[in-house]
């Protein structure tokens, strides 16, 4: 194997735990000796071990002279774990290859400094494509450190004229299967997915991440905004307890006995407010939130300037019709100067569909 393979393996391990371990960052680590991987690890849910410690524990034999490849700077402070830096030094590892500084104020370069002081060589120059993947891994983690709230993304799936359904609310399927598979990947990066009760009523979605049609444990929370308590056993999110936890926001007067164990009801004294939902998910240690909803709720997020990132899937088809629902409704803007612009990070062709990804300015 080659260095690029070791880097990619560490990234792939990190991807296996993203969306499951927040507020911890998802980290992957491999220990390499004589050009062979002898140990692997990934971040565990707290209070389990960090990736670097897992990789060291899982390694066999003497680690003197080994290289540790990891996706994020090893932490150097005492928490529920002994610092990873101490374990790396103690193991006899001589090189740490890692491209990403941990922006946690307790770390922020000090992990690398401690390793250098111990005589360990730090290699930060990874291939550009690998650095881009690491940047994506820690986009939400870094955002929360800098902004003290989760990164909020929205997923739009629409026709070329911006419609999300026909005038009779027929919506399956606008985009192709490859695009829908990509949506599952995006869900897998999210700690929580938010939707409104109308989307549940119309589509009866599972709202989880499924790779090859198999549930992979992401996201941690599926969030339903339901003022009037319409969610019941007729919907899979309610009746199926094996596909993830549900946070059910309702008004205070909604009382429901014998809720399934996977559903937690949060009562709001008035109509559900987006800011209150975000605050609750922040308390639950979410780093990233994905909104998948109809145009009304989506419009509310845009109206309140609560959108940080957009995934827009556009199918090469047109529905037309003034009564066909659009992807973003709400109040909208009055003056063009108030429009929400995006910094586009990528435009992809997915078997004739187009995926545009961008951050709001």
């Amino acid at each position: 194997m080659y260095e690029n393979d070791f880097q990619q393996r560490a990234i792939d391990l990190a991807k296996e735990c993203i969306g499951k371990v927040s507020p911890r960052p998802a980290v992957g680590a491999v220990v390499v000796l004589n050009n062979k991987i002898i140990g692997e690890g990934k971040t565990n849910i707290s209070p389990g071990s960090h990736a670097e410690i897992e990789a060291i524990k899982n390694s066999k034999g003497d680690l003197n002279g080994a290289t540790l490849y990891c996706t994020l700077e090893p932490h150097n402070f005492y928490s529920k774990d002994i610092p990873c830096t101490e374990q790396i030094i103690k193991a006899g590892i001589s090189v740490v290859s890692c491209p990403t500084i941990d922006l946690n104020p307790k770390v922020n370069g000090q992990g690398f400094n401690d390793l250098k002081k111990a005589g360990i060589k730090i290699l930060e120059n990874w291939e550009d494509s690998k650095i881009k993947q690491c940047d994506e891994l820690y986009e939400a983690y870094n955002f929360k450190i800098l902004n003290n709230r989760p990164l909020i993304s929205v997923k739009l799936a629409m026709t070329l004229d911006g419609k999300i359904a026909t005038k009779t609310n027929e919506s399956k399927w606008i985009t192709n299967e490859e695009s829908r598979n990509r949506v599952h990947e995006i869900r897998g990066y999210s700690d929580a997915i938010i939707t409104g009760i109308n989307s549940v009523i119309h589509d009866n979605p599972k709202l989880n991440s499924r790779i090859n049609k198999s549930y992979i444990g992401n996201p941690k929370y599926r969030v339903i905004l339901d003022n009037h308590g319409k969610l019941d056993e007729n919907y899979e999110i309610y009746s199926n307890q094996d596909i993830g936890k549900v946070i059910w926001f309702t008004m205070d007067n909604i009382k429901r006995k014998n809720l399934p164990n996977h559903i937690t009801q949060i009562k709001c004294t008035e109509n559900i407010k987006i800011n209150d939902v975000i605050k609750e998910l922040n308390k639950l240690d979410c780093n990233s939130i994905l909104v998948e909803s109809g145009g009304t709720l989506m419009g509310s997020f845009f109206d309140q300037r609560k959108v940080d990132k957009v995934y827009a899937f556009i199918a090469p088809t047109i529905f037309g019709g003034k009564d066909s629902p659009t992807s973003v409704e709400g109040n909208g803007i009055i003056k063009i100067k108030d429009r929400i612009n995006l910094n586009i990070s990528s435009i992809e062709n997915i078997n004739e569909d187009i995926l545009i990804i961008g951050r709001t300015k």
Side-chain angles (χ1 to χ4, degrees):
M1 295 180 72
Y2 297 95
E3 186 172 88
N4 284 343
D5 298 318
F6 303 138
Q7 294 172 359
Q8 189 61 54
R9 180 56 186 157
I11 291 169
D12 291 343
L13 286 165
K15 288 180 178 178
E16 290 178 10
C17 57
I18 196 168
K20 301 183 178 78
V21 298
S22 295
R24 287 178 165 182
V27 179
V30 296
V31 178
V32 175
L33 188 64
N34 298 324
N35 212 36
K36 292 181 180 179
I37 294 177
I38 60 171
E40 296 185 342
K42 58 187 176 184
T43 306
N44 289 287
I45 296 171
S46 181
S49 298
H50 288 198
E52 301 93 330
I53 293 175
E54 282 288 297
I56 290 169
K57 284 180 181 177
N58 293 333
S59 298
K60 297 179 181 179
D62 190 350
L63 302 191
N64 281 313
T67 297
L68 173 72
Y69 291 82
C70 56
T71 54
L72 185 68
E73 176 185 10
H75 89 290
N76 64 320
F77 60 92
Y78 281 87
S79 55
K80 295 177 181 177
D81 272 334
I82 297 172
C84 290
T85 51
E86 287 192 14
Q87 296 283 22
I88 292 167
I89 295 166
K90 184 179 178 181
I93 289 169
S94 61
V95 178
V96 170
S97 179
C98 176
T100 318
I101 289 177
D102 187 344
L103 295 188
N104 182 339
K106 294 180 179 179
V107 187
N108 201 22
Q110 292 306 306
F112 287 150
N113 288 341
D114 287 354
L115 294 173
K116 289 175 183 177
K117 289 176 184 177
I120 294 174
K121 185 177 181 180
I122 305 298
L123 300 178
E124 300 179 63
N125 294 323
W126 285 29
E127 186 182 65
D128 287 347
S129 64
K130 308 296 190 300
I131 292 174
K132 182 179 178 181
Q133 291 179 74
C134 288
D135 289 343
E136 291 173 353
L137 281 170
Y138 304 116
E139 179 181 32
Y141 171 73
N142 289 339
F143 182 93
K144 188 170 182 179
I145 289 172
L146 298 173
N147 297 277
N148 197 33
R149 70 164 176 83
L151 177 80
I152 301 172
S153 303
V154 300
K155 188 246 6 184
L156 311 174
M158 56 190 172
T159 63
L160 198 60
D161 55 339
K163 306 298 184 180
I164 59 173
T166 68
K167 63 182 180 181
T168 58
N169 275 319
E170 185 179 346
S171 60
K172 291 185 177 180
W173 295 102
I174 293 174
T175 55
N176 60 42
E177 185 175 2
E178 289 84 353
S179 292
R180 298 196 296 274
N181 288 337
R182 185 64 185 278
V183 170
H184 285 287
E185 292 179 14
I186 295 166
R187 287 178 177 180
Y189 275 69
S190 306
D191 298 319
I193 298 176
I194 296 176
T195 198
I197 188 60
N198 287 336
S199 293
V200 174
I201 291 170
H202 291 147
D203 298 331
N204 195 19
K206 293 183 176 70
L207 284 184
N208 57 21
S209 180
R210 302 183 298 279
I211 304 300
N212 297 324
K213 299 184 178 180
S214 297
Y215 170 53
I216 61 170
N218 305 60
K220 288 198 295 185
Y221 305 108
R222 296 167 297 154
V223 182
I224 313 300
L225 309 190
D226 181 14
N227 275 316
H228 303 295
K230 296 179 181 180
L231 184 68
D232 60 28
E233 63 275 2
N234 292 311
Y235 303 105
E236 191 152 9
I237 280 176
Y238 186 102
S239 59
N240 191 334
Q241 301 190 35
D242 299 324
I243 55 174
K245 297 178 180 178
V246 172
I247 308 296
W248 183 38
F249 284 86
T250 70
M251 290 179 63
D252 189 53
N253 62 341
I254 303 301
K255 298 181 176 16
R256 189 74 58 85
K257 295 181 179 179
N258 302 319
L259 274 177
N261 291 333
H262 71 296
I263 299 179
T264 299
Q265 183 180 6
I266 296 180
K267 297 181 179 181
C268 304
T269 53
E270 300 177 3
N271 284 350
I272 299 164
K273 294 181 174 60
I274 287 174
N275 278 337
D276 293 338
V277 174
I278 295 170
K279 287 177 182 177
E280 288 294 333
L281 294 178
N282 197 31
K283 290 178 186 176
L284 290 171
D285 290 329
C286 292
N287 290 340
S288 58
I289 295 170
L290 178 66
V291 182
E292 292 191 51
S293 72
T296 301
L297 179 57
M298 194 69 71
S300 295
F301 272 89
F302 278 101
D303 286 343
Q304 297 180 39
R305 298 301 193 265
K306 296 300 181 185
V307 177
D308 305 303
K309 188 172 185 178
V310 175
Y311 296 92
F313 291 85
I314 304 171
T317 188
I318 292 173
F319 285 178
K322 65 179 182 178
D323 296 325
S324 301
T326 58
S327 58
V328 181
E329 296 177 356
N331 295 324
I333 63 168
I334 296 174
K335 297 182 178 181
I336 290 178
K337 69 179 180 64
D338 296 324
R339 63 189 173 187
I340 298 170
N341 294 312
L342 298 182
N343 286 319
I344 303 299
S345 57
S346 67
I347 300 175
E348 304 173 33
N349 189 299
I350 307 178
N351 192 17
E352 294 190 346
D353 286 353
I354 297 170
L355 170 59
I356 300 175
I357 302 174
R359 290 285 294 268
T360 55
K361 295 181 180 179

